[in-house]
Amino acid sequence: MREYLKEEYSLKEAIRRAALDCEKLGVMQPFLENHLSEVENMLFTEWNLEDALKIEREEGREEGREEGIEIGAEKNKRQTIQSLSEFFSVERIAEVLKMPVKDVNHFLNG
């Protein structure tokens, strides 16, 4: 990359050419074949710890939302099965909800 910069290529072009050189030489070849544009973007974009931490926090929040949705769905399923058990057999609940009987029993007893 430094050589290309010395030859007065733009930073973006120097990064691209250096990455392509690495790919041709087999340096990190499998990785670059799949992620060349991401490598270019990461090198071209100013990357700092603050940005990295911000992205990590955003990803953490997204994971938390997904876990919360799963927990809520489990709780809702449990409540639904418990309500239905007052009127229907375990086998009928399993049939209607298209679940194995053992899973319905798990929600009722767990």
Side-chain angles (χ1 to χ4, degrees), residues 73-91:
E74 282 291 304
K75 185 176 180 182
N76 187 32
K77 193 180 289 185
R78 181 179 306 279
Q79 289 173 341
T80 300
I81 289 172
Q82 287 174 342
S83 295
L84 291 172
S85 71
E86 295 178 29
F87 306 101
F88 301 101
S89 70
V90 170
E91 292 77 15

Side-chain angles (χ1 to χ4, degrees), residues 20-36:
L20 289 171
D21 287 347
C22 288
E23 188 175 24
K24 285 177 193 170
L25 294 170
V27 176
M28 297 178 17
Q29 188 168 359
F31 180 80
L32 288 173
E33 285 174 357
N34 295 318
H35 304 286
L36 179 59

Side-chain angles (χ1 to χ4, degrees), residues 52-65:
L53 291 173
K54 180 180 176 184
I55 289 170
E56 188 175 329
R57 285 190 302 270
E58 289 171 4
E59 290 172 352
R61 283 192 290 274
E62 181 62 29
E63 288 175 14
R65 280 191 287 275

